[in-house]
RNA sequence: GUGAGCAUAGCUCAAUUGGUCAGAGCACUGGAUUGUGGAUCCAGGGGUUGAGGGUUCAAGUCCCUUUGUUCACCCCA
């Protein structure tokens, strides 16, 4: 039993998984920069108020999932549960609207939510997110999907499904919600207890209940598609047209709802099988009013976040190509040999070679074994004889061929 | 916050109905091969069976508590 362990729902990412994570991060940076996204590094902690206002007071995230504490001056601080609120804050605070429009940013790092962990869900989890400010045009939405397609392709993830929906705007959504409430209220007695609550708290959630009984009722529920205002309909139709044009396949899913309050119009999820109940790998949407609500100029925006644990879970079996840096292993006998090896190691490392030096108090045999375990390209053996003669043996490990090298 | 399963060596797992049950494989270390790896053989280290309490002549095995973990619900990436 270890005395210390990680907190619940928090884990270390250790080799060999580091390689996969590096790979994912590299691909994202490569692809995102092609689309003009600049990296933005936002803090892990913010004033609690930021998330309350951004994500929404009534949401589960704010109500029961935030890591919130008082700092030494008594201010309420929160470990970020998501990235968008911070990026919007930064956008306004740093006057990033001065950059040529549209402004595109991506970020990468850990998020924190106090939830019960399960497959694909952790209390500290990593996201790569991206946000675009200053364009309300559906072409921007389409570019996002184009970029994500490229990302998924390069990262090697197939069999994903893009599902899109429009959840309207402050003009048309209230109408929809009231028609939804009206409809479900009529069937209130037949709804599961969760849905009874949803009816009060979060009517949009009624649509994605997994309960069978509710499913039957749900079939006849009004769809948001029928309630959208002209502007939202146009936006949505143009987006679909642009997706078709680019050959990006998608499914229209009028049941997609986003959990955070700030979303408008386009909402989407990219899902994959085989990662458990949490099958959403990427999710996001448009939020045309958030910048203004945060005190900035009226600025339309759209963004998304990729769940890295979920992505890594899907790519777990992918073979990572080892970047081969050849290893020179020094098997040394005695302290004089150590001195010599250290000097030679410095030279080799300057040339970009990987060097490991054996423990001079270990037997030659065990040092050879170690070299083998490290998969050394070659071993240089230095002992008394070599020090005296100035010539050492260099053994190539794959075929055992030995040659002499000058060590002076 | 709710529900269910699991918890034995570094890892993967054994241990008939509570009765030599604390084991195996892999890994690790050493030896066979006095200064030369991978194969083989041999040997060794390592566990108060997650923790605490209880029942019993006897608990890894049954009961309670607790912690962790897995999966699902809520919700979400």
């Amino acid at each position: 039993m270890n005395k210390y362990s990680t907190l619940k729902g928090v884990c270390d990412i250790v080799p060999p998984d580091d390689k996969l994570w590096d790979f994912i991060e590299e691909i994202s940076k490569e692809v995102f920069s092609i689309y003009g996204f600049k990296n933005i590094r936002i803090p892990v902690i913010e004033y609690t108020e930021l998330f309350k206002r951004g994500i929404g007071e009534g949401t589960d995230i704010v109500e029961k999932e935030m890591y919130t504490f008082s700092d030494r001056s008594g201010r309420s601080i929160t470990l970020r549960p998501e990235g968008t609120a911070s990026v919007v804050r930064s956008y306004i605070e740093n006057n990033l609207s001065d950059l040529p429009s549209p402004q595109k940013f991506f970020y990468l790092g850990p998020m924190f939510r106090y939830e019960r962990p399960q497959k694909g869900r952790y209390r500290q989890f990593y996201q790569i997110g991206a946000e675009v400010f200053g364009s309300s045009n559906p072409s921007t939405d389409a570019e996002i999907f184009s970029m994500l397609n490229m990302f998924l392709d390069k990262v090697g993830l197939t069999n994903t499904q893009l599902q899109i929906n429009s959840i309207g705007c402050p003009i048309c959504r209230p109408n929809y919600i009231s028609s939804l409430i009206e409809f479900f209220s009529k069937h209130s007695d037949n709804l599961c207890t969760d849905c009874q609550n949803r009816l009060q708290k979060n009517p949009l959630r009624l649509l994605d209940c997994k309960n069978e009984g509710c499913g039957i009722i749900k079939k006849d529920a009004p769809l948001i598609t029928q309630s959208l205002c002209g502007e939202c309909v146009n936006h949505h139709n143009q987006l679909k047209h642009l997706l078709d044009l680019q050959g990006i396949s998608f499914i229209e899913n009028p049941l997609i709802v986003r959990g955070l309050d700030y979303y408008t119009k386009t909402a989407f999820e990219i899902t994959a099988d085989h990662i458990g109940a949490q099958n959403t790998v990427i999710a996001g949407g448009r939020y045309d009013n958030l910048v203004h609500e945060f005190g900035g100029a009226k600025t339309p925006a759209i963004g998304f976040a990729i769940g890295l644990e979920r992505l890594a879970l899907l790519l777990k079996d992918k073979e990572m190509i080892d970047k081969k840096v050849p290893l020179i292993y020094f098997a040394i006998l005695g302290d004089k040999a150590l001195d010599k090896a250290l000097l030679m190691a410095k030279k080799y490392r300057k040339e970009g070679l990987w060097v490991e030096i054996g423990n001079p108090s270990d037997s030659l045999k065990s040092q050879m074994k170690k070299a083998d375990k490290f998969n050394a390209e070659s071993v240089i053996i230095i002992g008394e004889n070599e020090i005296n003669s100035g010539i050492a043996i260099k053994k190539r490990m794959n075929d055992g061929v030995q040659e002499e090298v000058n060590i002076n």
Side-chain angles (χ1 to χ4, degrees), chain A residues 124-159:
Chain A
Q124 173 171 344
F125 60 100
Y126 289 78
Q127 288 187 337
I128 299 177
E131 320 285 349
V132 182
F133 297 95
S135 165
S136 58
N137 199 291
S139 65
T140 303
D141 306 33
E143 284 254 297
I144 294 272
F145 295 123
S146 158
M147 180 168 90
L148 285 174
N149 250 21
M150 187 177 196
F151 171 74
L152 291 174
D153 185 54
K154 287 213 173 188
V155 95
L157 184 60
T158 50
N159 296 322

Side-chain angles (χ1 to χ4, degrees), chain A residues 112-129:
Chain A
F112 306 85
R113 291 183 201 171
Y114 191 86
E115 298 184 273
R116 275 286 267 280
Q118 69 188 70
K119 196 180 184 81
R121 169 185 295 165
Y122 309 93
R123 289 185 170 180
Q124 173 171 344
F125 60 100
Y126 289 78
Q127 288 187 337
I128 299 177

Side-chain angles (χ1 to χ4, degrees), chain A residues 57 109 244 251 290 306 337 363 397:
Chain A
E57 293 269 8
D244 285 335
I251 295 173
L290 188 60
I306 305 169
S363 69
M397 293 301 270

